[in-house]
Amino acid sequence: MNGAGLPVVSGLFGLESSSLEVRRPLDAGWEFCTCAPDAFDHPDELAGHGLEWLPVSVPGTVAGALRALGRFDQAPAPGLDERDYWFRARWVVDPADDGPLRLHFEGLATLAEVFLDGRRVLTADNMFRHYVLELPAGNTVSEAVQLVIRFRSLAAALEAPRPRARWRTRLASHRNLRYVRTALLGHMPGVCPPVPAIGPWRPIARVAQRVLRPVQLRVRPSVRGSQGIVETLLELACAPGADWGDASLQIVVGDRRAPLVPEAAATAGPDARRFAGSVVLDDVERWWPHTHGRPQLYTAHIEGVVAGQALRLELAPIGFRSIELRDPEGDAELLVNDVPIFCRGACWTPIDLVSLGASPDDLRRALEDARDAGMNMLRITGNMVYESTAFYALCDALGILVWQDFMFASLDYPTQDPDFIANVEREVDDTLDRIAYRPSLAVLCAGSELAQQPAMLGLPRELWHDDWFTIRLPELCRAHRPDVPYCAGSPIGGVLPFHADRGIAHWFGVGAYRRGLDDAWLAEPRFASECLAFAIPPEGAAGQDQDAPVPRDAGADWDFMDVTDHYVRLLYGRDPAELPVALRAHVRSAAVGEAMARVQSVWRRPGARCRGALVWLLRDLGPGAGCGLVAADGSVKAPLHYLRRVWSPVSVHVLDRGLNGLRIVVTNDTPHGLRGELRLHLLRLDGTTTGSAAAPIECPARSGTEHALEALLGSFVDSSHAYRFGPPAFDIVRATFEAVDAANAPQRHEVVYLRDGLGLLPQSTLGLRAVVTPHDAQSARVWISTERFAQAVRIDAAGVRVSDAYFHLCPGDARAVTVAASAEWIAANCSVRALNADAPAPITFDLDRDEPRRG
């Protein structure tokens, strides 16, 4: 409930900026203290009890504040949510703010009470909602305003008696979390560290309104043939009795504009007016995921004069595209602009679990890294948090599709409780208003493992689905985003929700369930919205820490490092426990990368039925060997280098088709056809060439071609060594596609494939050499060459970013790797290693190094 009779009103989202308001963040002068649950009920009671008030950043969390003070360690369970926390700050009212004031709370985690000059004005119970308080002008606040927020102990609240669920899950640490609209982050043992979200995790701001204020804004882009259409509805409210005069408004998109004309009815009362109109752009350039084209955006704003006041509303850039999720419970496939897309990427996690925030630079770097790795989709799963507006804006600009779960996962939610439903429907409205009309938004999904959990417990089918998720939630989504497909859950479809051959799948055949790599062919999921979970060591010394935390499924007698070690034995024929510690992390990383790359290559081939593969996870939630392709500190782990080569818009793969031999696959997702030459070399480990071929090929736009190795050679060589009439004819396949695109720009794409059965090559002297030369002000290039075949070559760069790693290098070849450090520092601190090298190779400094020959 809300105290002091101050009304709670909806927030207005979708605007970049507005001339009709002055927004001031309340981000300075905050401090907090902690006490036992329910020790105090009002700010006046806090004095005289010796409470320690500590500085805190807002937006932020209790865990983030304690970390900044050196008082927090996320490894042991800190029990943060077993206490109450009080936040307080003061601000001075600006005399210029003579109109109505509004306080915006964009995220309060989770059970919060807001006091304004001692009055309880808001009670909040949903960390995902945007609460807005409207303060009538002139008589509601003092000149120096004290704002106090109490965050009640979640652990204490969870102990209140609640009706029993129809089924339980092992994912969450407490059964009553199903009633509370808070993140499951911090409450999932084995999945992430026990760091609960507590505090004002999203911005708090005060907003002074002018004579006019926007009440509602709806902007709906669409495409019709070659035209882009933007339908716009704007509702404005004016001070009571104001003279509206002759209003003149226009919507401007790119270089086109159209009038917004008054409509008869408005929803905000007699002092409001509604305006609507459409602007049409001819020959519009469509927005594409970056792998398939350019993510074209058009600037947009509304301008004009209303009630004698000039206004300008800056809108988020607009992208024109169509999108369709075809048959989500059957042969699932996503189409953008009527073109089928092989969606690849990962499940997104917060950049910083402790603060739940990220600096603009860190967020941009993380998303640019995802794009540069060839990812064209990120999924925000139902056990994480909704991301910031900046996240979606960057995905728009970078051409990354977003699969958006609502924050529901693995629990039996009380959808028959009217108060719960009213709360979550406001959450859905707030979330979709904030995401607005972002073109990157590709799928709206009910949540994660809502049907899988009861199905795996053997419960009847009628308990797998809930009418609110299958009927009401899609209605809400259509009201906001009719252009975005809705999916009733992930996974979904098939005989059982977790069967992979139909619908949306969470496929861990390779990974958690320790199946052979051929399960990628046998199960072949239609769309894997989660897949390929392993414990992946971070690079450097952290990867050698034998006591670092490792993720595990609750109740399992194994952890994900056991999974990783299974594939070390499968691929390399070695027991990791018998390897030296320094080599062990290198081998584990390479095994995971090799397994992931081979699976993704199967799914990217022409004619593959799999149309989506999102790795679990993109980034670790804490220190240790997590499932992320990126460590918690942002450093890239080995498998991402393997996947970057497979996920590139144009790439070359080698597939083992059993008795049908090896196949060379060329994929081309770009909008331009490629013509060129496919060159093939078969080699032994010592560099001896046993066969070669070259053939002209064409790879049409957004397609792929597959070529039998023996067709290219013109003779039988038992390329997959399936017939075994004699010793293998070769050990290595090097396939190179040299091409030009429609603009005659040269391209070169290569794969080096080590035949099955060789495993971990014995260590020996390889003749590895490395020379570093300056490149630009921020980086240098390391040229690596070898006399003998080098397996999984990497630069030991002590946490410094490198452009490539874990690549095979053929005898006589060389590879250039860009390193984000000076040449002098690299020569003094780095070395080059390979799995089969008996010693690291030093890096020498050379100012005048010429580019060496490439094979």
Side-chain angles (χ1 to χ4, degrees):
M1 63 178 295
N2 303 291
L6 299 181
V8 178
V9 300
S10 297
L12 180 75
F13 310 105
L15 292 179
E16 297 283 279
S17 64
S18 168
S19 64
L20 302 180
E21 63 184 26
V22 177
R23 177 179 291 262
R24 296 182 176 90
L26 296 177
D27 56 2
W30 285 90
E31 54 185 2
F32 82 106
C33 71
T34 182
C35 61
D38 298 322
F40 308 104
D41 190 54
H42 191 275
D44 292 346
E45 302 172 8
L46 299 173
H49 292 279
L51 298 173
E52 182 183 18
W53 288 91
L54 301 169
V56 60
S57 296
V58 172
T61 63
V62 169
L66 293 175
R67 181 179 61 184
L69 295 166
R71 300 189 181 189
F72 179 73
D73 182 357
Q74 69 181 31
L80 292 180
D81 56 1
E82 296 174 2
R83 301 181 62 79
D84 283 2
Y85 299 88
W86 292 79
F87 284 61
R88 69 185 184 187
R90 287 185 178 273
W91 89 82
V92 177
V93 175
D94 192 324
D97 296 341
D98 55 354
L101 277 177
R102 290 184 170 197
L103 295 182
H104 287 247
F105 302 90
E106 296 186 23
L108 300 173
T110 291
L111 305 177
E113 297 170 86
V114 178
F115 298 83
L116 202 63
D117 282 344
R119 289 178 295 168
R120 183 182 284 109
V121 295
L122 171 65
T123 300
D125 59 358
N126 187 331
M127 72 172 282
F128 304 124
R129 281 182 55 183
H130 180 134
Y131 294 92
V132 183
L133 283 173
E134 184 170 337
L135 310 180
N139 60 1
T140 60
V141 294
S142 58
E143 291 185 0
V145 183
Q146 185 179 58
L147 178 62
V148 178
I149 309 175
R150 174 196 182 189
F151 294 94
R152 294 172 48 222
S153 165
L154 179 62
L158 290 175
E159 294 306 314
R162 296 279 196 176
R164 292 172 63 92
R166 296 171 298 172
W167 46 269
R168 288 190 176 187
T169 177
R170 289 178 173 177
L171 176 74
S173 58
H174 199 289
R175 63 187 182 277
N176 283 342
L177 282 165
R178 70 195 188 101
Y179 282 94
V180 183
R181 297 307 297 148
T182 194
L184 288 179
L185 288 170
H187 303 283
M188 298 183 290
V191 176
C192 71
V195 185
I198 306 171
W201 70 293
R202 286 272 164 82
I204 301 174
R206 69 183 194 270
V207 178
Q209 302 290 158
R210 301 308 191 197
V211 176
L212 286 171
R213 65 181 177 89
V215 176
Q216 185 183 33
L217 175 66
R218 288 285 181 267
V219 179
R220 287 185 173 167
S222 61
V223 289
R224 184 173 59 208
S226 63
Q227 292 182 324
I229 303 163
V230 182
E231 299 175 90
T232 306
L233 184 147
L234 173 65
E235 190 169 334
L236 298 170
C238 199
D243 181 9
W244 283 87
D246 295 327
S248 173
L249 288 173
Q250 290 186 320
I251 172 74
V252 183
V253 180
D255 60 359
R256 299 300 301 273
R257 60 182 61 226
L260 299 180
V261 299
E263 288 195 336
T267 61
D271 298 310
R273 297 290 186 275
R274 177 179 285 180
F275 302 85
S278 298
V279 61
V280 177
L281 284 73
D282 294 321
D283 298 320
V284 71
E285 185 176 346
R286 296 200 181 195
W287 184 96
W288 289 91
H290 74 94
T291 50
H292 288 68
R294 189 165 72 145
Q296 174 65 44
L297 296 172
Y298 291 82
T299 58
H301 68 273
I302 296 171
E303 63 183 22
V305 177
V306 179
Q309 181 174 343
L311 67 82
R312 184 180 176 97
L313 307 180
E314 296 291 344
L315 308 179
I318 289 173
F320 296 98
R321 57 97 181 99
S322 66
I323 196 157
E324 176 187 1
L325 180 59
R326 184 176 292 168
D327 196 9
E329 297 190 31
D331 292 330
E333 182 176 47
L334 191 77
L335 291 83
V336 177
N337 300 322
D338 301 320
V339 173
I341 305 293
F342 177 70
C343 299
R344 65 271 197 175
C347 296
W348 177 264
T349 54
I351 287 179
D352 180 15
L353 173 67
V354 175
S355 70
L356 289 182
S359 70
D361 287 345
D362 286 346
L363 181 60
R364 174 174 285 278
R365 185 179 304 111
L367 289 171
E368 286 179 343
D369 285 349
R371 177 203 59 189
D372 294 345
M375 300 186 198
N376 59 18
M377 176 175 275
L378 296 171
R379 177 179 169 221
I380 301 175
T381 60
N383 49 15
M384 299 294 163
V385 296
Y386 301 108
E387 264 300 333
S388 64
T389 302
F391 170 88
Y392 302 98
L394 283 167
C395 287
D396 288 350
L398 298 173
I400 300 174
L401 298 163
V402 178
W403 174 301
Q404 177 68 66
D405 281 13
F406 292 98
M407 293 302 112
F408 301 98
S410 304
L411 295 169
D412 180 24
Y413 291 95
T415 56
Q416 304 305 311
D417 182 331
D419 291 336
F420 179 85
I421 289 303
N423 193 2
V424 298
E425 290 193 4
R426 288 294 300 273
E427 170 192 324
V428 171
D429 286 340
D430 286 356
T431 300
L432 294 180
D433 276 345
R434 182 169 59 84
I435 298 175
Y437 47 83
R438 300 290 181 183
S440 57
L441 186 62
V443 178
L444 290 167
C445 179
S448 178
E449 299 188 354
L450 299 173
Q452 173 174 307
Q453 290 291 313
M456 277 195 160
L457 292 171
L459 297 176
R461 187 175 293 269
E462 56 266 24
L463 295 183
W464 299 359
H465 303 289
D466 186 291
D467 286 350
W468 190 81
F469 292 109
T470 58
I471 299 174
R472 178 57 180 160
L473 183 53
E475 289 176 350
L476 296 173
C477 292
R478 284 192 296 270
H480 288 268
R481 291 298 302 266
D483 62 310
V484 177
Y486 176 83
C487 180
S490 176
I492 195 169
V495 176
L496 294 168
F498 43 85
H499 283 187
D501 60 340
R502 302 281 290 172
I504 307 299
H506 291 183
W507 181 83
F508 298 108
V510 174
Y513 301 132
R514 289 180 267 190
R515 301 276 294 173
L517 298 186
D518 59 351
D519 200 60
W521 299 87
L522 296 172
E524 195 163 36
R526 296 299 174 266
F527 196 112
S529 58
E530 293 180 16
C531 64
L532 297 170
F534 300 82
I536 309 171
E539 292 298 290
Q544 301 174 27
D545 183 358
Q546 301 303 298
D547 298 320
V550 174
R552 67 185 311 132
D553 281 346
D557 61 357
W558 50 269
D559 62 29
F560 280 88
M561 190 58 77
D562 295 326
V563 173
T564 295
D565 288 349
H566 169 81
Y567 288 94
V568 171
R569 289 187 286 269
L570 179 69
L571 291 171
Y572 294 144
R574 299 290 296 274
D575 185 345
E578 298 174 355
L579 298 173
V581 172
L583 179 61
R584 187 183 306 160
H586 192 180
V587 170
R588 282 170 166 167
S589 295
V592 174
E594 189 72 34
M596 287 187 174
R598 291 200 193 186
V599 168
Q600 297 273 345
S601 293
V602 169
W603 293 343
R604 261 204 97 182
R605 75 188 191 279
R609 300 177 69 184
C610 182
R611 302 308 302 157
L614 308 180
V615 174
W616 176 268
L617 298 157
L618 178 58
R619 191 184 187 106
D620 287 344
L621 289 163
C627 296
L629 300 172
V630 176
D633 64 4
S635 58
V636 172
K637 295 198 242 177
L640 190 55
H641 293 291
Y642 286 86
L643 291 170
R644 180 185 292 114
R645 295 187 281 269
V646 176
W647 284 344
S648 175
V650 180
S651 58
V652 184
H653 318 266
V654 176
L655 294 180
D656 186 338
R657 301 298 296 266
L659 293 179
N660 297 321
L662 297 184
R663 301 295 176 91
I664 313 300
V665 174
V666 179
T667 57
N668 175 24
D669 285 340
T670 73
H672 308 293
L674 297 173
R675 50 184 172 78
E677 188 172 63
L678 181 60
R679 297 178 181 172
L680 185 67
H681 292 84
L682 310 181
L683 303 99
R684 297 199 187 280
L685 291 175
D686 63 5
T688 303
T689 298
T690 64
S692 63
I697 68 166
E698 292 189 9
C699 193
R702 299 173 182 147
S703 68
T705 60
E706 184 172 321
H707 310 270
L709 182 146
E710 282 148 322
L712 295 170
L713 288 174
S715 62
F716 171 66
V717 293
D718 193 8
S719 59
S720 58
H721 198 49
Y723 295 89
R724 301 180 183 273
F725 295 149
F730 56 87
D731 300 313
I732 304 158
V733 177
R734 184 178 63 206
T736 307
F737 179 45
E738 294 191 349
V740 293
D741 60 19
N744 285 321
Q747 298 190 21
R748 188 178 191 275
H749 307 276
E750 184 176 273
V751 63
V752 176
Y753 173 86
L754 192 63
R755 69 169 175 82
D756 282 346
L758 288 176
L760 184 64
L761 300 178
Q763 292 191 331
S764 62
T765 301
L766 305 180
L768 272 175
R769 295 187 65 247
V771 175
V772 62
T773 63
H775 177 53
D776 56 31
Q778 289 79 39
S779 64
R781 277 187 176 152
V782 177
W783 298 95
I784 305 170
S785 60
T786 183
E787 295 175 3
R788 296 178 59 83
F789 180 81
Q791 185 179 22
V793 179
R794 67 183 175 95
I795 298 176
D796 189 354
V800 175
R801 296 166 68 88
V802 298
S803 63
D804 199 4
Y806 288 86
F807 51 85
H808 300 324
L809 199 58
C810 293
D813 283 0
R815 179 76 63 93
V817 177
T818 301
V819 182
S822 70
E824 293 85 354
W825 185 91
I826 294 168
N829 294 279
C830 300
S831 60
V832 173
R833 298 176 183 268
L835 284 183
N836 59 328
D838 57 7
I843 300 176
T844 59
F845 184 73
D846 188 343
L847 279 173
D848 302 312
R849 175 73 173 177
D850 293 327
E851 180 175 344
R853 178 180 69 84
R854 298 190 59 170

